[in-house]
Amino acid sequence: AGKRATSHSTVRDELAAAGAEVLTDRQIVQDGRIITSPGAGTAVFFGLRLVHVLLGEEAAVEVAKGMMIGS
């Protein structure tokens, strides 16, 4: 309850019923230590967010460059 999240469409109602603010227009949502994404199609961006959180922005940028994502 009280957290922001995104999710697969099959569980959005359940999250909302539990008190989450479900954002449907985002690939990644981070609320504190909780990071969510809507499904397998956003796995690369989810992974990059994890790198950012664990190792910092510079590491995430380098990984993204290696994957030819972003500028």
Side-chain angles (χ1 to χ4, degrees), residues 30 34-36 45 48 55:
Q30 182 173 353
I34 299 171
I35 303 169
T36 56
F45 301 106
L48 287 172
L55 301 174

Side-chain angles (χ1 to χ4, degrees), residues 8 10 19 22 31 38 41-42 49 52 62 64:
H8 192 271
T10 60
V22 182
D31 189 336
T42 59
R49 177 60 61 98
H52 182 269
E62 286 303 310

Side-chain angles (χ1 to χ4, degrees), residues 34-65:
I34 299 171
I35 303 169
T36 56
S37 73
T42 59
V44 169
F45 301 106
F46 184 82
L48 287 172
R49 177 60 61 98
L50 292 177
V51 171
H52 182 269
V53 168
L54 296 171
L55 301 174
E57 182 176 357
E58 188 174 315
V61 168
E62 286 303 310
V63 170
K65 282 182 184 177

